């Protein structure tokens, strides 16, 4: 089958590699059946007895097949007999050496049945005419290479007695034939015109597919196929044997082998299950890398999309993985391979805080966020890092205010940081902060932040999260957003008016008292001088032919100065009534209403007047500012929300939308007067779909559309849109919104891989917790306190109703646990132990109120205990000891110390003693933070008793601390306390042995009462000691062999010392002591024989050798 023809049902690049397959072949060559296995390295080193239509690049390499009519390959006859019917070139068409049909080569076109019959008919005619096809030109074959070939065959037959390698097929082609075949592959051999045409077609086809022919030829030349000899396995058969002992041995051997096989199979299953559960391999990325290597990226992407549409969930080869335990949202190609948490339930989930930043973009950590840092986003430079530091200071100040239950002007503080020079952030981010300030009505002065009308933390939560569209809470929050956004646009325009008049003071000619009306008059004069106040063909209605009265009213309304506009109309009532009799009444009533609505009678009257003027008046006969004032005050013709004849910017058009919008009870309102925030949001969404899709900048850059989304109250969409451009600004906008309860967070924080998701009612929500966790990747290595303050903010959402609030609290605690385990700054984060045993609070414990934990006990159970368990599992002894001590689990502390001390005693005397990983020193904390105690003046100091590297020192420190306090001892089991004392004596004994202080070592061994030093040859006493070894703790029992060896060494060493001290009046006493020590050696050897099978591996041999040297037997 051709490589680029229609693929077989099961296609695999490395299919059947090294497998045995029996493929039935058809008895009729014309109807050769495809077995459905087409691959690149098919049947390599296999021996199928019959295969009819398997096309492969290296098929039948190293196999022996006497005659197969349907096989065509690159090296088809390599190592096969010469009786095959037809060979096929790699790029050429099959050579017409015989009339028997064959399947096509790897790259050659398939021969149809009609072509085959035509070929047979032409060959039969040529045979009748006596014409034979010209034989292929054969090149000369040097005798030297033929001799090498014969020697190689003989060497292969001589190996292993000529039995095994003799069964393998030999080379049937000479080196000259192989050279000719290779030259034909490269296109330098003698070819017919038909072959050249086929080669050209193959060249074009491969070049179009991105295949490098030169590189492929070099790869083929580099192949070296080595014959493999398979050794048959010697299976033990369970045959009956009259010899009972032999039969039982055979059955025992079978049972042992079966148990081993079952154990290996069980290990394989467990390992596969572990991979399925815990390892997150992005098969899509692996597949893309493979096809990028072969230059087939575009084809693969198209095929994968088609295959996923036809059969989602199942793809062969390197397609999307079909393993279980994967996410249900999004394409796997967009997901990142983050590190996984190693404790709790998060071992099946992604890490909350991600891995520390190594240069990758935070935006790329979410599956639905495309990194657009190259499209006008803020670059990761010094200015961005400086802003991150300033933002972190504001967040820490926010948490201090929350601990003291004070209000904090968060939006003003964040706006001041954003205003700092540096970077390329757009000015619309500042406008967005101003809009939020107007929406929540946050006071600008921090001293006034605690006023009664100042917004409090999470004040708008219940109104914003109410999912009933027409409820009173939803209407109230929509009114707040409409009024705040309109107020922000009006204030922004008034600032522009003041700026323009100050820059053009001569044209403005402000003079007099700088009231709002005078500033508007000056602004109009500047616009008139610049010829952009009106079109040239229009004439504005003026008072005394000097002042355009309708323009003054319009710009006062545009600045939000409604009362000033009403006062101006009343002041010039005569002039207004001369042209419009009822306008003064309209604007006075408009200014008095807090919702800026006219009564129904006035509303109907002004609508009628507007419609009459718009329809009946000639074109260009009315002042455009007059029509604009009527439209704004009367909300006339809501289907056409634009003003004609006036130069307007995008902000002017947006202000008009908010000025015309009203939030009312839609059931009672007239259908034509219904226009509110939802309609504005639809317009903004339409603008985004037209101008701000992926890869489009739109008018004004990304800042313009972000400002639109904030003004429309689409806060979740705004954060999601801004995040890929500048995630620093997006994170802090999200913090400010969530602080006031204006952000809907994800209801499934543990399973989200997207930044923006939708709930069951299609309401947008943000993965707030993971966004904060990923943001701390940039600085948590250098600034742990700031990272803790950011992660604590996840618990802002703890007040959410139902299980969502609990899930957010659990996510916060999970993030803090991951931070503790990743940084290993336990002393700084969780607390420390003073030298006198007093406890110092850590950074997390000082913020217990902010993470939803009311007391210390809940904190210990939630954070410290689980972190200690993981540290113990990972072998970090000092960390586990400190954490369990902080968790007040003193018995576990002693158990861990015993285990570490036992491990150090198990090391032989010649090997170095293992050292513990010491605790990281406690960093000096910043001054002025609440609840922090004064630290040591040195920059790197630690009061921790666990900041040691020797297990014996750690054990002595902890035991001395616990012995000094009866409250500690009451919570420690006596067996653990006694075990620790015994192990400390064994440590002392080992030190004496290393110092060759034999007498002190023997005295300490006698004090332990673990060995029968005082048995005096009594066998019952020795057996009694041997029987008590079963009751010893495991930590002591595993070191009993070493203690026995040390004791024998001490006996021998003390006898040598006494032997060296001969002479004087005490010889008789020394000789008696030596004999007594010899008896002790015999008792120890007898004891060793009784406990031989309880000793560690190798200890018995060492004891026997040492006992022989001492004279124990």
């Amino acid at each position: 089958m051709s490589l680029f023809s229609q693929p077989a049902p099961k296609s695999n690049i490395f299919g059947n590699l090294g497998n045995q397959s029996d493929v039935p072949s058809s008895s009729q060559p014309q109807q050769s059946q495809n077995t459905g296995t087409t691959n690149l390295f098919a049947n390599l080193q296999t021996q199928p007895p019959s295969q009819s239509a398997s096309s492969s690049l290296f098929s039948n390499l190293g196999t022996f097949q006497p005659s197969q009519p349907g096989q065509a390959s690159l090296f088809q006859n390599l190592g096969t007999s010469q009786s095959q019917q037809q060979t096929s070139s790699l790029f050429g068409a099959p050579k017409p050496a015989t009339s028997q049909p064959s399947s096509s080569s790897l790259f050659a076109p398939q021969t149809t049945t009609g072509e085959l019959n035509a070929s047979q008919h032409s060959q039969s005619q040529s045979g009748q005419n006596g014409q034979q096809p010209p034989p292929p030109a054969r090149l000369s074959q040097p005798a030297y290479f033929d001799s090498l070939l014969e020697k190689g065959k003989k060497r292969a037959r001589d190996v292993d007695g000529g039995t095994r390698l003799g069964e393998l097929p030999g080379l049937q082609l000479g080196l000259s034939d192989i050279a000719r075949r290779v030259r034909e592959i490269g296109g330098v051999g003698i070819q017919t015109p038909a072959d050249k045409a086929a080669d050209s077609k193959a060249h074009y086809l491969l070049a179009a597919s991105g295949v490098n022919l030169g590189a492929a030829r070099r790869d083929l030349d580099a192949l070296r196929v080595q014959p493999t000899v398979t050794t048959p396995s010697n299976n033990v058969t369970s045959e009956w044997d009259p010899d009972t002992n032999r039969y039982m041995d055979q059955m025992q051997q079978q049972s042992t082998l079966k148990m081993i096989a079952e154990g290996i199979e069980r290990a394989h299953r467990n390992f596969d299950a572990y991979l399925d559960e815990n390892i997150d391999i992005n098969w899509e990325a692996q597949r893309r890398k493979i096809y990028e290597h072969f230059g087939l990226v575009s084809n693969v992407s198209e095929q994968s999309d088609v295959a996923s549409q036809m059969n989602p969930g199942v793809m062969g080869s390197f397609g999307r993985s079909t393993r279980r335990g994967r996410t249900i949202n999004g394409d796997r190609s967009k997901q990142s391979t983050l590190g996984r948490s190693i404790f709790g339930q998060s071992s099946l989930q992604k890490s909350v805080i991600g891995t520390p930043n190594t240069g990758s973009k935070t935006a790329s950590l979410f599956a639905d966020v495309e990194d657009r840092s190259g499209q006008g986003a803020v670059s990761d430079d010094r200015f961005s890092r400086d802003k991150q530091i300033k933002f972190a200071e504001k967040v820490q100040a926010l948490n201090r205010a929350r601990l003291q239950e004070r209000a904090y002007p968060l939006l003003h503080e964040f706006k001041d940081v954003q205003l700092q020079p540096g970077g390329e952030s757009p000015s619309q981010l500042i406008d967005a902060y101003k809009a939020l300030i107007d929406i929540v009505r946050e006071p600008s002065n921090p001293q006034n932040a605690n006023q009664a009308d100042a917004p409090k933390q999470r004040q708008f939560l219940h109104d914003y999260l109410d999912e009933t569209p027409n409820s009173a809470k939803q209407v109230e929050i929509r009114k707040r957003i409409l009024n705040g956004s309109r107020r922000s646009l009006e204030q922004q325009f008034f600032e522009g008016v003041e700026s323009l008049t100050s820059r053009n003071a001569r044209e403005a000619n402000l003079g007099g008292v700088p009231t709002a009306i005078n500033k508007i008059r000056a602004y109009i004069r500047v616009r008139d001088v610049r010829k952009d106040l009106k079109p040239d063909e229009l004439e504005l209605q003026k008072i005394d032919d000097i002042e355009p009265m309708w323009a003054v009213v319009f710009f006062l309304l545009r600045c939000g100065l409604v009362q000033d506009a009403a006062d101006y109309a009343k002041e010039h009532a005569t002039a207004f009534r001369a042209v419009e009799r009822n306008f003064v009444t309209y604007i006075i009533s408009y200014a008095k209403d807090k919702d800026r609505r006219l009564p129904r009678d006035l509303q109907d009257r002004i609508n009628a007047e507007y419609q009459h003027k718009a329809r009946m008046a000639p074109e260009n006969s009315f002042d455009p500012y007059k029509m604009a004032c009527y439209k704004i005050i009367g909300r006339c013709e809501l289907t056409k929300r634009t003003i004609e004849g006036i130069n307007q910017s995008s902000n002017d058009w947006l202000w008009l939308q908010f000025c015309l919008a009203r939030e009312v009870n839609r059931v009672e309102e007239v259908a034509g007067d219904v226009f509110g925030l939802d309609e504005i949001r639809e317009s903004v969404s339409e603008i985004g779909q037209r101008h701000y899709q992926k890869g489009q900048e739109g008018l004004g850059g990304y800042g313009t559309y972000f400002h639109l989304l904030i003004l429309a109250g689409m806060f979740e969409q705004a954060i999601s849109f801004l995040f890929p451009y500048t995630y620093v600004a997006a994170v802090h906008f999200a913090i400010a919104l969530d602080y006031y309860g204006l952000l809907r967070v994800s209801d499934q924080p543990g399973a989200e891989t997207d930044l923006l998701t939708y709930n069951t009612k299609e309401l947008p929500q943000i993965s707030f917790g993971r966004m904060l966790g990923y943001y701390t990747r940039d600085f948590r290595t250098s600034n742990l306190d700031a990272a803790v303050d950011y992660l604590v903010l996840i618990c802002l959402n703890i007040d959410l109703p139902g299980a969502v609030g609990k899930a957010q609290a659990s996510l916060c605690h999970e993030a803090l646990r991951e931070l503790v385990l990743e940084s290993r700054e336990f002393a700084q984060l969780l607390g420390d132990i003073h030298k006198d045993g007093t406890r110092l609070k850590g950074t997390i414990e000082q913020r217990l109120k902010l993470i939803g934990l009311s007391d210390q006990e809940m904190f210990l159970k939630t954070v410290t205990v689980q972190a200690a368990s993981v540290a113990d599992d990972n072998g970090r002894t000092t960390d586990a000891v400190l954490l369990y001590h902080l968790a007040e689990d003193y018995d576990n502390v002693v158990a861990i110390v015993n285990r570490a001390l036992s491990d150090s005693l198990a090391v032989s005397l010649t090997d170095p003693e293992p050292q513990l990983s010491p605790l990281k020193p406690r960093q000096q904390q910043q001054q002025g933070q609440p609840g922090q105690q004064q630290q040591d003046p040195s920059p790197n100091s630690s009061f921790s008793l666990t900041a040691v590297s020797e297990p014996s020192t750690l054990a002595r420190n902890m035991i001395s601390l616990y012995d000094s306090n009866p409250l500690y001892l009451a919570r420690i089991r006596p067996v653990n306390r006694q075990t620790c004392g015994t192990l400390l004596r064994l440590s002392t004994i080992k030190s004496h042995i290393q110092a060759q202080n034999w007498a002190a070592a023997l005295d300490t061994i006698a004090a332990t009462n673990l060995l029968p030093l005082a048995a005096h040859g009594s066998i019952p006493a020795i057996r009694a000691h041997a029987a008590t070894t079963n009751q010893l703790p495991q930590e002591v029992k595993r070191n009993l062999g070493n203690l026995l060896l040390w004791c024998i060494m001490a006996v021998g060493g003390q006898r040598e010392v006494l032997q060296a001290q001969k002479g004087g009046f005490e010889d008789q006493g020394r000789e008696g002591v030596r004999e007594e020590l010899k008896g002790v050696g015999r008792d120890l050897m007898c004891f060793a024989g009784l406990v031989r099978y309880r000793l560690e591996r190798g200890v018995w041999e060492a004891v026997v050798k040492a006992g022989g040297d001492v004279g124990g037997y």
Side-chain angles (χ1 to χ4, degrees):
M1 184 177 187
S2 175
L3 179 64
F4 298 97
S5 61
Q6 186 177 358
K10 295 182 180 179
S11 177
N12 194 335
I13 294 182
F14 305 99
N16 298 331
L17 184 60
N19 296 330
Q20 299 286 342
S21 61
D22 296 333
V23 182
S25 62
S26 175
S27 58
Q28 297 179 3
Q30 290 82 357
Q31 299 178 356
S32 59
Q33 298 178 355
N34 194 339
T35 60
T37 304
T38 302
N39 49 68
L40 188 58
F41 301 98
N43 305 322
L44 183 61
Q45 296 180 359
T46 62
Q47 297 183 5
S50 176
Q51 187 170 1
S52 60
S54 177
S55 173
S56 169
L57 182 60
F58 303 103
S59 61
N60 306 323
L61 184 61
T63 63
F64 178 79
Q65 297 178 356
S67 178
Q68 292 185 3
Q71 290 280 344
S73 173
L74 171 63
F75 303 110
Q76 183 178 13
N77 293 328
L78 186 61
T80 62
S81 63
Q82 295 288 346
S83 60
Q84 292 192 2
Q85 300 298 323
Q86 181 178 338
T87 61
S88 177
S89 172
L90 177 63
F91 303 102
K95 296 185 177 182
T98 179
S99 61
Q100 190 169 355
S102 172
S103 62
S104 64
S105 156
L106 179 64
F107 302 103
Q110 288 186 344
T111 304
T112 61
T113 306
E115 294 174 353
L116 181 61
N117 295 333
S119 175
Q120 292 175 354
H121 180 67
S122 62
Q123 290 180 9
S124 62
Q125 288 183 354
S126 63
Q128 293 174 1
N129 296 333
Q131 296 178 358
Q132 297 294 335
R138 298 186 60 86
L139 301 178
S140 61
Q141 179 174 350
Y144 174 72
F145 293 105
D146 289 343
S147 63
L148 289 180
L149 180 61
E150 294 298 331
K151 289 181 180 179
K153 292 181 179 180
K154 183 178 180 181
R155 185 181 299 109
R157 288 194 298 269
D158 293 340
V159 175
D160 200 8
T163 57
R164 292 181 179 175
L165 288 179
E167 299 175 357
L168 297 177
L171 293 176
Q172 300 298 326
L173 294 179
L175 296 181
S176 60
D177 295 333
I178 298 177
R180 178 177 55 80
R181 186 68 59 82
V182 171
R183 281 195 295 272
E184 290 177 358
I185 293 174
V188 298
I190 302 175
Q191 295 180 342
T192 62
D195 294 338
K196 291 182 179 180
D199 284 352
S200 299
K201 184 184 298 184
H203 277 281
Y204 284 121
L205 186 59
L206 291 175
S209 301
V211 177
N212 191 343
L213 296 180
R217 181 182 177 185
R218 287 193 297 271
D219 294 341
L220 293 176
D221 292 339
L223 287 176
R224 295 293 184 267
V225 180
Q226 300 293 338
T228 58
V229 180
T230 57
T231 304
S233 59
N234 297 324
N235 296 326
V236 180
T237 59
S238 57
E239 298 180 356
W240 180 82
D241 197 320
D243 190 348
T244 306
N245 294 331
R246 187 184 304 171
Y247 178 76
M248 293 302 297
D249 293 341
Q250 184 178 1
M251 294 298 296
Q252 183 180 3
Q253 183 180 7
Q254 289 182 358
S255 301
T256 303
L257 293 177
K258 185 176 180 181
M259 291 175 59
I260 294 174
E262 291 178 353
I264 294 175
E265 185 180 358
R266 189 184 309 111
H268 287 171
R269 289 197 304 268
N270 294 338
F271 182 72
D272 291 339
Y274 176 80
L275 289 179
D276 285 339
E277 294 291 340
N278 298 284
I279 304 301
D280 187 10
I281 300 177
N282 196 336
W283 292 109
E284 188 71 18
Q286 298 296 329
R287 184 174 66 96
R288 190 182 305 109
K289 289 181 180 179
I290 291 173
Y291 282 104
E292 283 177 358
H293 174 73
F294 288 102
L296 302 174
V297 179
S298 59
N299 296 337
V300 170
S301 60
E302 294 174 1
Q303 293 174 4
S304 62
D305 294 339
V306 173
S308 60
Q309 293 174 5
M310 294 177 61
N311 192 8
V314 178
M315 278 191 72
S317 243
F318 290 90
R320 295 179 178 85
S321 175
T322 57
R323 287 186 173 183
R324 59 186 176 89
R326 299 295 186 246
T327 182
I328 60 176
N329 293 328
D331 190 357
R332 292 308 308 269
S333 62
K334 299 179 181 178
Q335 296 181 14
S336 57
T337 55
L338 297 175
R340 291 179 174 273
S341 176
I342 55 176
F343 47 83
Q345 296 180 352
S346 61
S347 61
L348 302 180
Q349 302 171 356
K350 284 188 175 181
S351 172
V352 179
I353 61 177
T355 56
N357 198 351
T358 57
S360 61
K361 296 293 183 181
T362 305
S364 61
L365 296 177
F366 289 102
D368 62 335
V369 176
E370 180 183 357
D371 186 12
R372 305 179 191 174
S373 57
Q375 302 180 11
V378 181
S379 59
D380 187 15
D381 53 5
R382 179 174 60 87
F383 299 108
S384 179
R385 291 192 294 271
D386 291 343
K387 282 190 177 181
Q388 281 185 321
I389 295 174
K390 296 297 182 181
F391 275 125
E393 293 175 357
K394 301 301 181 183
V395 170
Q396 290 177 322
L398 169 65
N399 285 332
R400 289 196 296 268
R402 293 175 61 203
L403 286 172
Q404 300 172 7
E405 297 182 355
R406 293 187 293 106
Y408 186 76
L410 184 61
L411 289 169
H412 282 88
E413 297 295 335
F414 281 177
K415 185 193 71 174
D416 294 341
V417 175
Q418 194 67 42
L419 276 172
Q420 293 182 359
E424 300 178 356
S425 58
S427 60
Q428 289 86 352
L429 299 183
I430 307 299
D431 298 336
Y433 274 118
K434 292 179 180 179
L436 290 176
I437 290 172
D438 288 323
I439 290 174
V440 302
R441 298 177 184 176
E442 183 182 88
S444 58
N445 191 354
Q447 284 75 20
N448 298 332
N450 292 318
Q451 294 179 356
D453 56 345
K456 303 298 188 297
Q457 173 182 328
R458 310 287 287 175
Q459 177 174 336
F460 311 108
L461 171 67
H462 299 290
D463 294 348
Y464 185 77
L465 296 184
D466 191 353
E467 298 180 353
T468 305
N470 294 323
S471 64
K473 294 180 179 179
Q474 267 294 305
V475 171
E476 182 63 28
I477 195 65
R478 288 200 295 266
K479 283 184 179 180
R480 176 177 287 272
I481 294 175
L482 279 176
N483 296 333
S485 299
R486 186 189 65 250
R487 202 162 39 241
S488 174
L489 292 171
E490 292 169 349
Q491 181 65 27
Q492 182 181 357
F493 181 81
F494 188 71
E495 292 175 358
V497 168
E498 293 179 333
S499 176
L500 183 64
T501 54
S502 62
R503 292 198 310 267
N504 302 273
R506 178 179 299 179
E507 292 83 358
N509 192 17
L510 180 58
V513 180
T515 60
I517 296 178
N518 289 334
K519 289 181 180 179
I520 294 300
R521 288 168 175 164
Y523 175 75
I524 292 175
R525 285 191 287 269
V526 174
R527 292 280 299 270
D528 190 25
V529 171
R530 298 172 61 177
K531 302 298 182 182
D532 61 350
L533 182 64
K534 64 178 182 62
D536 295 336
E537 65 274 8
L538 289 179
E539 290 295 333
L540 303 181
Q541 295 181 2
K542 299 179 181 180
I543 300 177
D544 299 332
D545 295 332
I546 298 176
E547 184 175 281
M549 56 183 184
W550 295 108
V552 173
V553 174
F554 173 78
F555 285 115
L556 285 173
L557 294 176
R558 178 66 181 86
C559 294
L561 305 174
V562 179
Q563 188 60 46
D564 291 338
D567 295 340
Y568 178 80
K570 286 190 295 184
E571 182 181 353
H572 302 87
T574 304
F576 279 100
R577 287 194 177 97
V579 292
E580 293 295 339
R581 183 179 57 182
N582 298 321
F583 179 76
V584 177
T585 305
Y586 296 151
I587 195 170
I588 292 175
S589 177
Y590 180 79
K592 288 182 179 179
D593 190 82
K594 63 177 181 178
D595 293 333
R596 294 188 179 184
R597 299 191 65 190
L598 296 177
R600 174 51 58 185
D601 55 343
L602 295 180
Q603 180 73 42
D604 296 339
R605 190 188 307 173
I606 193 172
N607 282 333
E609 293 181 8
Y610 180 85
Q611 295 294 338
H612 177 75
K613 291 179 174 60
R615 294 178 182 178
M616 304 302 295
E619 188 177 358
N620 298 330
S621 63
F622 274 102
D623 190 335
Y625 292 99
K626 174 183 176 181
M627 300 300 293
C629 292
Y630 267 84
K631 190 176 189 65
I632 293 170
I633 295 174
R635 298 178 70 236
C636 303
E637 199 177 0
L638 291 179
T639 57
K640 187 178 180 182
R641 297 184 297 274
T642 56
I643 300 176
E644 297 179 356
I646 301 176
N647 294 330
Q648 289 182 299
S649 64
S650 59
N651 284 346
D652 294 332
W653 175 87
L654 192 61
W655 169 81
L656 181 62
Q657 312 306 306
F658 283 98
C659 192
L660 296 178
R662 297 290 185 274
E663 283 298 331
V664 294
N665 189 349
R666 302 199 173 198
V667 178
E668 302 175 356
E669 189 70 13
V670 179
D673 294 341
V674 173
F675 178 73
L677 185 61
D678 292 338
E679 285 73 19
I680 295 178
R681 287 174 176 174
E682 292 177 1
S683 300
V684 172
S685 300
E686 185 178 356
I687 293 173
Q689 293 174 3
R690 288 184 178 181
H691 305 287
Y692 296 94
Q693 285 296 326
K694 293 182 178 179
Q696 299 180 4
E697 275 299 307
L699 300 176
Y702 66 91
T704 301
Y705 187 59
F706 173 74
H707 186 211
L708 287 177
L709 292 172
I710 291 294
L711 291 174
M714 304 169 68
F715 302 129
E716 293 82 10
Q717 294 91 330
I719 300 302
S720 177
F721 176 78
L722 183 64
F723 194 83
Y725 292 102
T726 165
Y727 63 89
V728 177
V731 166
H732 292 91
F733 269 107
I735 291 174
L737 289 168
D738 197 57
Y739 175 74
Y740 287 112
L742 292 175
L743 191 71
R744 184 177 289 103
V745 300
S746 175
D747 53 1
Q748 295 180 353
E752 291 298 336
T753 58
D754 296 340
L755 177 61
L756 179 67
T757 56
Y758 294 88
N759 61 9
T760 56
K761 294 188 177 181
E762 293 300 321
L763 296 176
Q765 52 189 12
I766 286 291
S767 183
F768 181 73
R770 292 193 179 277
M771 180 176 63
L772 290 183
Y774 294 161
Y775 175 71
T776 60
R777 299 167 68 241
D778 295 342
F779 55 85
R780 65 172 178 256
T781 303
S782 58
N783 194 350
L784 274 177
D785 289 343
V788 171
D789 282 307
Y790 275 97
L791 296 179
V792 161
L793 293 177
I794 301 176
C795 273
L796 280 172
N797 304 293
I798 200 173
D799 54 355
L800 293 176
V804 181
K806 296 180 180 179
Q808 293 291 329
S810 300
L811 190 69
C812 176
H813 302 158
E814 179 80 5
L816 291 174
R817 282 194 294 269
E818 289 189 15
L819 180 65
V820 168
L821 294 175
E822 177 189 286
S823 63
R824 294 189 60 217
E825 297 286 352
F826 302 113
Q828 181 178 354
L829 296 178
L830 299 179
D832 205 348
I833 313 171
H834 223 308
K835 291 183 178 180
D836 57 357
T838 57
R839 175 175 176 172
L840 301 175
K841 289 185 177 181
T843 304
I844 298 178
E845 191 171 356
Q846 295 168 6
R847 295 160 175 79
L848 287 181
K849 290 175 59 178
L850 304 182
I851 60 177
L853 300 178
S854 57
D855 55 5
Q856 181 180 355
E857 184 178 358
M858 292 181 62
F859 168 73
L860 297 177
K861 291 181 179 179
T862 307
V863 178
T864 311
V865 172
Q866 296 188 21
S869 176
V870 175
D872 187 19
D873 294 340
N874 293 339
R876 300 199 297 267
T877 302
T878 53
D879 297 343
V881 167
L882 174 62
L883 293 174
Y884 274 122
H885 179 82
L886 296 176
E888 299 180 358
D889 192 354
Y890 309 121
D891 186 67
N892 228 337
V893 171
V894 177
I896 294 174
V897 168
N898 292 344
R899 190 165 60 249
L901 189 55
S902 176
D903 294 339
S904 66
L905 292 175
V907 179
S908 63
L909 297 174
T910 57
D911 296 335
E913 184 177 357
Q915 300 294 314
L916 301 176
S917 178
L919 190 75
K920 286 188 177 182
R922 182 182 180 88
Q923 301 292 331
Q924 183 180 5
Q925 300 180 352
Q926 298 179 358
Q927 302 295 331
Q929 295 188 7
Q932 293 184 353
Q933 303 181 17
Q934 184 68 25
Q935 304 297 325
D936 191 86
S938 60
N940 293 325
S941 61
S942 179
F943 303 106
S944 180
L945 297 178
T946 63
V948 294
S949 58
E950 296 83 7
S952 57
T953 306
L954 176 64
R956 289 188 178 91
N957 289 343
M958 302 310 298
I959 288 300
S960 61
L961 174 64
Y962 293 158
D963 288 344
S964 61
N965 193 334
L967 296 179
Y968 293 159
L969 284 178
R971 304 178 66 173
I972 301 174
R973 291 185 299 170
V975 60
N976 283 340
R977 177 64 187 86
Q978 294 172 4
T979 301
C980 187
T982 302
L983 292 174
L984 286 176
R985 293 193 190 97
L986 295 184
S987 178
T988 304
I989 293 170
K990 186 176 182 180
S991 301
H992 289 327
I993 295 298
Q994 290 175 338
Q996 296 185 358
N997 191 357
W998 313 118
L1002 289 174
D1003 292 340
T1004 309
I1005 292 173
T1008 61
N1009 197 26
L1010 295 176
L1011 299 178
L1013 300 185
H1016 303 292
S1018 174
I1019 299 300
I1022 297 175
R1023 288 181 175 176
H1025 269 86
T1028 57
T1029 56
N1030 291 330
Q1031 303 175 359
L1032 295 176
Q1034 182 62 32
E1035 292 81 3
V1036 178
K1037 188 187 301 184
R1038 64 174 299 193
N1039 290 285
L1040 186 62
N1042 288 334
L1043 178 62
L1044 183 59
L1045 180 60
W1046 298 340
C1047 187
I1048 294 176
M1049 292 174 60
V1051 169
Q1054 186 64 23
R1055 292 186 76 238
E1056 292 178 358
V1057 169
L1058 295 176
Q1059 180 69 22
Q1061 293 178 356
K1062 280 189 176 182
F1065 298 99
E1066 298 180 357
D1067 287 346
Q1068 185 176 1
R1070 294 192 187 96
E1071 189 65 26
V1073 173
R1074 291 184 72 252
E1075 290 298 326
E1076 183 178 354
L1077 291 175
K1078 186 176 181 180
V1080 170
R1082 293 194 183 97
D1083 294 343
L1084 291 176
M1085 292 304 300
C1086 181
F1087 177 80
L1090 293 176
V1091 297
R1092 172 181 177 180
Y1093 296 103
R1094 305 173 195 173
L1095 302 177
E1096 296 290 334
R1097 180 181 302 177
V1099 175
W1100 168 252
E1101 290 77 4
V1103 168
V1104 171
K1105 182 179 179 182
D1109 297 338
V1110 171
Y1113 56 88

